[in-house]
């Protein structure tokens, strides 16, 4: 056996069987997030962890995990990991990029359309028995076709959302601090703009940035103040990118028209007043949640464990310096 791995949450049986062919596998039997103490106790015995974004991989945990060589995050995002602390110990961190791009982009569109055309509200209206006849001004929403979509972040998922906007005849604006390769923009009528121009000109704003120091509360009261009053905001990235109490204020005061949220600042808790609002669609962090994509994400995390604990550089290594450190 190539070492001991611990799986922090129940995953697909097929992947457990796959891992058991190489490793001594143990895992969290319960379908709930482990407490920090439980996670620390498990990690103390492990050479590798298959972890989720709900697992805090910090200095404390790493200090208490003398055998730990690799953490395979079952996610493309890795803001749950203290990368510097891991790299300092030569602990490899991997993620699951690419395989979830289209599934997540589809869901961003589902939220955008549900919020713009009030789908959830309308469903509740019909279920409540209030639909007694057609009405000319009933539950009117906002057009999507031929409007302007603003993308905050133009990485893989932002680009995939932009590609879908083509079918709606939309104008695309994007803001990304990092240069976007020309080939990624090929065929897309997308214009790079400043955030202020994006806020001022977009009818829809969709967020596709990682949670890092610079993106924490990127969307705040000041940003909402620059947006159109009929703007619809969509967030499938990370909750703390948006100041959620400011968002509640903006939705209550109709500073913006509506929002579609899959992530929350203090997930799974919601900011006070959010769930009472009609002009917001709320989902529980399921954007990458298709059967096929979650299975692929899980297989990718497992493959990274096999490579790393087999002494080979894992394909989806996030902290290259840790690999160099391990080889010294
Ligand atoms: C995951 C995500 O489902 O990949 C990410 O970064 O947020 C989602 O796709 C979630 O992180 C599970 O760990």
């Amino acid at each position: 056996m190539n070492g001991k791995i611990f799986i922090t949450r129940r995953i697909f049986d097929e992947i457990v069987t796959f891992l058991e062919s190489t490793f001594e596998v143990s895992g969290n039997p319960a379908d709930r997030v482990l407490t920090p103490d439980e996670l620390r106790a498990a990690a103390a015995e492990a050479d590798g962890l298959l972890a989720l974004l709900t697992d805090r991989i910090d200095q404390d945990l790493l200090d208490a995990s003398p055998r730990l060589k690799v953490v395979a995050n079952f996610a493309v995002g890795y803001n749950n990991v203290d990368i510097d602390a891991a790299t300092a110990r030569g602990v490899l961190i991997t993620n699951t990029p690419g395989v979830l791009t289209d599934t997540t982009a589809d869901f961003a569109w589902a939220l955008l359309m549900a919020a713009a055309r009030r789908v959830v509200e309308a469903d509740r209206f019909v279920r409540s028995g209030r639909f007694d006849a057609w009405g000319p001004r009933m539950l009117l929403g906002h057009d999507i076709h031929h409007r302007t979509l603003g993308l905050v972040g133009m990485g893989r998922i932002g680009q995939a959302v932009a590609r879908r906007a083509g079918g709606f005849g939309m104008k695309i604006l994007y803001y990304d601090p990092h240069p976007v390769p020309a080939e990624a923009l090929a065929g897309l009528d997308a214009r790079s703009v400043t955030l202020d121009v994006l806020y001022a000109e977009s009818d829809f704003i969709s967020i596709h940035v990682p949670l890092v120091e610079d993106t924490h509360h990127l969307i705040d009261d000041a940003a909402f103040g620059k947006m159109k009053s009929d703007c619809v905001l969509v967030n499938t990235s990370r909750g703390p990118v948006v100041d959620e109490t400011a968002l509640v204020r903006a939705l209550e005061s109709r500073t913006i028209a509506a929002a579609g949220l899959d992530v929350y600042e203090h997930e799974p808790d919601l900011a006070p007043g959010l769930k009472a609002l009609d002009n917001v669609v709320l989902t529980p962090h399921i954007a990458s949640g298709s059967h096929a994509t979650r299975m692929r994400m899980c297989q990718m995390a497992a493959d990274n464990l096999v490579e790393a604990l087999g002494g080979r550089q894992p394909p989806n290594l996030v902290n290259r310096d840790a690999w160099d450190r391990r080889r010294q």
Side-chain angles (χ1 to χ4, degrees):
M1 281 295 160
N2 233 350
K4 288 183 176 182
I5 65 161
F6 183 83
I7 303 171
T8 67
R9 190 78 179 268
R10 184 136 185 266
I11 55 169
F12 304 99
D13 297 342
E14 301 91 317
I15 306 291
V16 176
T17 309
F18 166 81
L19 289 166
E20 283 171 339
S21 64
T22 311
F23 304 111
E24 197 183 315
V25 178
S26 58
N28 170 6
D31 197 12
R32 64 165 175 77
V33 178
L34 291 174
T35 65
D37 288 348
E38 289 170 329
L39 181 61
R40 196 175 305 116
E45 305 297 318
D47 300 290
L49 287 181
L50 199 158
L52 307 182
L53 82 126
T54 44
D55 299 312
R56 190 80 218 125
I57 311 296
D58 57 15
Q59 193 117 18
D60 279 357
L61 180 116
L62 293 161
D63 285 348
S65 312
R67 300 173 53 134
L68 196 60
K69 301 171 189 64
V70 57
V71 177
N73 222 31
F74 185 149
V76 65
Y78 45 86
N79 49 287
N80 58 309
V81 181
D82 182 337
I83 294 292
D84 294 343
T87 302
R89 284 166 187 71
V91 175
L92 308 176
I93 306 297
T94 69
N95 67 343
T96 63
V99 285
L100 47 69
T101 297
D102 285 311
T103 301
T104 305
D106 288 351
F107 199 77
W109 270 96
L111 286 176
L112 186 153
M113 298 183 81
R117 297 302 306 274
R118 305 171 69 179
V119 174
V120 176
E121 242 183 298
D123 175 89
R124 276 202 298 265
F125 179 81
V126 172
R127 287 174 197 273
S128 73
R130 285 174 289 151
F131 179 36
D132 52 13
W134 179 87
R137 294 176 305 140
M138 183 191 284
L139 287 164
L140 301 184
H142 299 275
D143 270 331
I144 297 162
H145 64 85
H146 299 94
R147 311 276 310 283
T148 299
L149 170 68
L151 295 165
V152 179
M154 195 60 163
R156 286 176 295 257
I157 300 172
Q159 292 161 29
V161 172
R163 283 192 293 276
R164 286 154 177 74
F168 291 87
M170 296 177 94
K171 192 174 144 192
I172 301 164
L173 306 176
Y174 71 90
Y175 167 79
D176 198 308
H178 308 290
V180 179
E183 62 275 13
L185 297 171
L188 289 176
D189 171 17
R191 185 161 62 91
S192 172
V193 295
T194 65
L195 272 176
D196 282 359
V197 169
L198 189 142
Y199 295 150
E201 296 187 12
S202 300
D203 302 304
F204 299 91
I205 295 175
S206 191
I207 304 172
H208 302 288
V209 290
L211 177 60
V212 291
E213 212 172 308
D214 291 352
T215 60
H216 184 268
H217 280 194
L218 180 66
I219 314 280
D220 57 8
D221 281 314
F224 288 121
K226 295 169 185 163
M227 295 180 189
K228 292 182 175 183
S229 59
D230 62 355
C231 183
V232 173
L233 180 79
V234 173
N235 191 8
T236 55
S237 67
R238 286 290 183 267
V241 175
V242 176
D243 176 339
E244 205 166 292
T245 50
L247 173 60
V248 171
R249 284 192 290 274
L251 291 167
E252 278 171 347
S253 62
R254 297 302 196 259
T255 301
I256 64 167
L261 305 177
D262 188 48
V263 289
Y264 306 88
E265 185 165 356
H266 305 292
E267 208 165 294
D269 301 327
L270 275 57
L274 187 61
K275 63 183 173 201
L277 297 169
D278 274 337
N279 55 341
V280 63
V281 175
L282 305 168
T283 56
H285 205 143
I286 57 171
S288 66
S290 72
H291 297 282
T293 290
R294 286 286 169 78
M295 181 64 81
R296 283 197 208 102
M297 290 169 69
C298 204
Q299 184 64 61
M300 204 177 215
D303 293 342
N304 279 297
L305 287 172
V306 169
E307 294 306 297
L309 294 176
R312 297 173 296 278
Q313 181 175 332
N316 309 105
L317 183 61
V318 164
N319 56 345
R320 168 74 208 220
D321 297 352
W323 174 255
D324 298 338
R325 190 176 288 267
R326 290 197 76 77
R327 299 176 68 74
Q328 278 164 7

